[in-house]
Amino acid sequence: MSLRAALAHPVRYGSLGAGMLPVLAFPAPDQEWFAWIALVPGLLLMQRAPRAREAVVRGWWFGAGFVLAAMYWLIPSIGPGLLLIAVLFGALQGAVGLAVWCLLRPPLTVRRSLAALLVVPSVWVVTEFARSWQALGGPWALLGATQWRRPTQLALASLGGIWLVSAAVVAVNTAVLIAVLADRTVLRACALAAGALLLAAGPVAFALNPAPVTARTATVVLVQPGQTPDGTVRLDAAGAITRDLADRPDLVVWGESSITSDLSRDSVTLAQLRALSAVTGSDLLVNEDARKADGHISKDAVLIDPNGIQDRYAKMRLVPFGEYIPFRGGLGWLTKISKAADQNRTPGHSFHLFQPVDRSGTPLPAGVLICFESAFPDLSRTAALQGAQLLIYQSATSTFQDTWAPAQHAALAAVRAAETGRPAVQAALTGDSVAFDAQGRQLARMDTGGRGALTVHLALPAATYRTWYDRVGDVVPWTALAVTAAAAATGLYRARARPRADRSATVSEDAPSPAR
C-alpha cells in the first residue's frame, strides 16, 4: 500500500490520536487512574476495522501515536529520528490490533471474550518486552509504570515485575471494551465483574504481602546542585552543598556526570573529594563522565573515602542517540540538526555491588546504576540477587529539564523498589531526586526547580531477602510470548481450515442429488 493510500483513511488519524491518550496516565500529567480505560478508544477502532489487515494498520498507527506522545522530549536529541522510532515501535502494536479484531469482532461470544482477556494483554506485554531489548533502544513508557504512585498496584510488580502490572492494566481495558461491545446483559455483567477482579488484584497482593522486615537503617544524602554552566561550577556547587551538611549521613550521593575529569589522573579533583569525605565523615559516591587514558569516554560511578577511590562501575546500558548513535556511519548526520551524541560513549561490561561503609563501620551493599539503567528491570534484579540492601541511581536529565522526561524517569525508581523489595534512591543533577521505600512508597522528592541536599532515612531489608520477582525473573513476558504463539498458531490453523471447509461446502452444493 502506498503512503498516499495509507494517509487517505481518516480513521487512522483517529487511531494515531487514540494512541496518545494513555500518555496522560504517565508523569507528568500523572492521571494514573486513566490508564485503566485509556486504551479503550484505540482498541475499539481496531475492533471496528472491516478486515484483519486494516486492524493491523490501525494498531500500527495507535502505537506510533503512543511513542510520539510518550517520547516527544527526545526531539532536541534526535530530531526527525523520533518519527523513525515511532514508525518502528508502532509496528509492534499491529499485533494488538490483529488480536482484538480476531477475538472481539461480531458476533461477540463468551468463549472469544474469555480468550481476549488472556490473549490481548499477552500480546501487549510481548510488544513491550520486544522494544525493551537494548538492541532496540531499551524500555521506556511501559504501561505498568503509570501506577508508580500506587504501591497497592505496584504490589503486582513484586510478583511478576512491571510486566504483570502492564498485563493487569491491559486486561482491565479489554474487559471494559467487552462490556461496551456486548449485546447481552449477562456478558456485559461478566466482563465488568472480571474487570473489577483484575483491578482488585494489586490491592489484594499488597494486603497479603507485607513489607520486608527491617534488618538495619541507613541515612543517605542526595545532592542536587541544579543548573550549572560548566563542570567546574557544578563541582563547586555540589561540594559546597556537601560541605554544609549538618549531620553525618551513612552515604552521600551525587548525580550522573557530576565529575568531568578522569579521577584516576586528576589528582587535584580527587584530593578535593577525599577532603570532602573526611569532613562529612561519610563515603562519597560521585559520577565521572570523562575521557580515560585509553582515549575512550565512559560514565563511571566512583566510590571515594578519605583514602581515595574505593570502587568503580562503568555504565553498561547507554542511551541511544544521547550517548551513542546506532549505525553512526548512516545516521551520524543527526548530529548536524540535533543534540545527538557527537561521540559514542564506551559501555562497561560487568556489574557488581558497591560496599560503602556506614557510620558504624559496617559495609552497606548497594546496587549502583546510572541514569537510563533504572529503566531495565533485569539490572536491579541482578543487584538484589547479589545481596544489595539498597538501590542507587545517578541521573542527569538537564537536556530535558522542562519536559515530562525527569518525572517519567524518577517514577521508574518506584517500580524497581517494588519489584526487588529494596529502597531505591535517585540523585539527579538538576532533578528529580527521589527516594522510595521497599514497597515503592515515596519518601522524599526534590523537583527540577530545587537545589540542595535531600536527606532520607531508609529501612533496609536483609541482604538475603527476595521477592517473587527476584526469584522467578521474567516469567510473565515469557509466558505471554507462549500464549501469543499459541494464539497465532490456532489462528493460522483455523484460517487454513476455513478455505477447505468452504470448498467442501461448494462441491457438496454443486453435486447432483442422488437418484431415489
Side-chain angles (χ1 to χ4, degrees), residues 117 121-122 124-125 128 162-172 198 476:
L117 288 173
S122 295
W124 184 284
V125 169
E128 288 194 338
I162 191 173
W163 319 110
L164 188 57
V165 186
S166 289
V169 172
V170 179
V172 171
L198 291 164
V476 170

Side-chain angles (χ1 to χ4, degrees), residues 271-314:
Q272 294 177 8
L273 297 175
R274 291 173 59 187
L276 271 178
S277 178
V279 168
T280 60
S282 308
D283 285 2
L284 182 61
L285 181 63
V286 301
N287 190 274
E288 179 187 281
D289 183 0
R291 190 179 301 277
K292 305 304 189 287
D294 61 4
H296 294 110
I297 303 175
S298 65
K299 293 188 176 183
D300 298 5
V302 184
L303 182 65
I304 296 171
D305 70 6
N307 297 315
I309 297 175
Q310 298 303 312
D311 209 343
R312 179 185 289 271
Y313 161 74

